[in-house]
DNA sequence: ATAATAGTGTCTGTAAGACAGTATATC
DNA sequence: GATATACTGTCTTACAGACACTATTAT
């Protein structure tokens, strides 16, 4: 008797208000995790994609992901998928984004996908040392055509990332361990896609308690095009920013989902 | 050949970067939806619960929910579960909350549950005309002991509801079609659990574009303890509030998930 | 020297909150 | 009349954004 059958027998006593039907009557559901992994490379926001090697959607790019394994927690599965493609330390920041389960989203069978959002500092190309057939960073705002509903998942991930920068210190997860205020501003400008006023941003960041803390050191040299050496900071202990750094003049119709 | 077997045969060609293993090797995963349905009754926030009639966790209360059905989209499943317990119109506001999939969360088998958050105006008790064995509204802040990880799901739903009131006009989904500013303030005070300054709240609400729009009518009588007749408003067309109504002086360690 | 950048000072507009005050209703 | 409520006026404080300015570095 298989694991599946044994449990279904137990479930036969289940009363209507709990299940209303016997799960055995229906085809199984595949549960996967997909990861929207974002990084900044050369001042451009990039997303990690893998190329599909077989139908359906052969040749198209897709978000890295795969089936959850027995006994494996969901964030654990997302970290594993990410590590398999990038060699990225499984300790990177990762958070649940949303779950997609439209019956038509995969032509083969019913697939429910839990998406995760990951932020990472600039990483090496994923090919070397990875078991991925083809994986690469692509510009997040101009990705190739994506398989299934992954374009929608990516769009949701980008909007979440933009919103999270406002009220959390997650921008620091895109930088190295220490960073200058200018580098931090670059993260905001890249993710939000808008230029920010350097002076006001500087004062604002330092005024938010726990956002950054001084290291006491400065950069070795000035900027490549001149300027004084900037002070170096590391991430503070705040988990929320107060007051928040609001995006400038949003027309806003989004995020009200 | 069953639906299940047929598709697994197709999957055998799957290459490592997509699945890494054959789903047939593993026990199936049950996918359910659970609904955190909130309403305000007599000035107290309530959550809809159903009583479990069988082990495990027999006698405990749980969030309404159940298995998704083939061909049924996730929000559709959530609306159906809610309608089955309450007779509530399936057009109520509903939004995805989060997905819970810890391997230990249900002792019987692997269950991945997608939770939804629903807001509703004051509703009648769910017993009459419902197919639920036992369903009732309970105080959301002092619920009975809940089955599985439903206490956590409820807590997440409450925090999401509180946050959503800040930057969306969802408070109006707790009221009738028309409402006074005082009634709207009552929603905020109940959900946030803090008293608000009546005068400042009044001016603030009217100053946010698209939050409420005047009906031109007033209440028939004044308040039960005196006072002038209040003007009636209906929900405006804004989907986001600008500027937002921020909760007063939050110590804040939450929401940074 | 020129240009670019780091960082600070200052002003203005907006908005939140505290508080007061007036009008209108119930008891 | 007493009291509670609806709604408005005004003041203070905080902060975002614009602008100006100095100091420091690369070229």
């Amino acid at each position: 008797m298989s694991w599946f059958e044994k449990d279904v027998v137990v479930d036969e006593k289940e009363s209507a208000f709990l299940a209303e039907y016997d799960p055995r009557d229906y085809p199984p559901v595949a549960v996967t995790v997909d990861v929207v992994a974002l990084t900044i490379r050369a001042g451009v926001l990039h997303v990690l994609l893998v190329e599909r090697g077989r139908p359906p959607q052969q040749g198209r790019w897709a978000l890295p992901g795969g089936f959850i394994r027995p006994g494996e927690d969901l964030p654990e599965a997302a970290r594993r998928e990410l590590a398999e493609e990038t060699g990225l330390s499984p300790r990177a920041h990762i958070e649940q984004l949303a779950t997609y389960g439209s019956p038509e989203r995969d032509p083969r069978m019913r697939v429910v996908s839990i998406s995760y959002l990951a932020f990472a500092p600039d990483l090496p190309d994923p090919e070397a040392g990875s078991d991925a057939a083809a994986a690469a960073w692509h510009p997040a705002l101009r990705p190739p055509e994506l398989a299934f509903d992954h374009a929608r998942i990516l769009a949701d991930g980008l909007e979440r990332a933009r919103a999270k920068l406002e009220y959390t210190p997650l921008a620091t997860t895109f930088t190295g361990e220490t960073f200058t205020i200018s580098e931090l501003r670059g993260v905001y400008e890249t993710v939000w896609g808008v230029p920010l006023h350097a002076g006001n941003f500087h004062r604002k960041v330092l005024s938010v308690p726990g956002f950054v803390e001084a290291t006491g050191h400065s950069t070795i040299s000035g900027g490549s095009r001149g300027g004084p050496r900037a002070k170096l900071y590391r991430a503070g202990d705040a988990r929320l920013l107060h007051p928040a750094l609001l995006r400038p003049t949003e027309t806003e119709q989004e995020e009200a989902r």
Side-chain angles (χ1 to χ4, degrees), chain A residues 23-113:
Chain A
R24 201 175 32 178
D25 297 340
Y26 296 96
V29 180
V31 176
T32 65
V33 293
D34 288 316
V35 181
V36 178
L38 300 177
T39 196
I40 295 177
R41 293 164 72 91
V44 177
L45 192 64
H46 282 70
V47 60
L48 182 69
L49 299 176
V50 297
E51 190 173 11
R52 289 183 59 83
R54 63 171 200 88
Q57 316 258 7
Q58 186 171 21
R60 279 205 185 161
W61 293 85
L63 299 172
F67 294 100
I68 64 171
R69 295 179 177 176
E72 184 183 54
D73 205 355
L74 299 180
E76 190 183 339
R79 286 180 205 282
R80 174 179 54 75
E81 293 290 344
L82 191 55
E84 285 172 2
E85 307 295 355
T86 65
L88 178 63
S89 156
R91 282 189 299 276
H93 173 83
I94 201 167
E95 64 178 59
Q96 194 177 299
L97 180 57
T99 297
Y100 302 83
S102 165
E104 306 85 22
R105 64 184 299 276
D106 189 310
R108 293 164 297 174
M109 65 182 296
R110 185 69 185 265
V111 177
V112 169
S113 174

Side-chain angles (χ1 to χ4, degrees), chain A residues 40 45 95 117 119 158-174 184-193 196 201 211 240-241 243-247:
Chain A
I40 295 177
L45 192 64
E95 64 178 59
L117 184 60
F119 300 111
L158 291 174
E159 178 50 32
R160 174 77 68 93
R162 286 189 273 254
K164 278 269 176 175
L165 287 200
E166 290 191 314
Y167 60 95
T168 73
L170 287 183
T172 60
T173 65
F174 281 104
L184 190 63
R185 177 166 49 86
V187 173
Y188 278 89
E189 292 177 329
T190 299
V191 176
W192 285 351
L196 299 175
F201 181 88
F211 190 2
L240 287 171
L241 303 183
L245 283 81
L246 298 180
R247 277 175 279 187

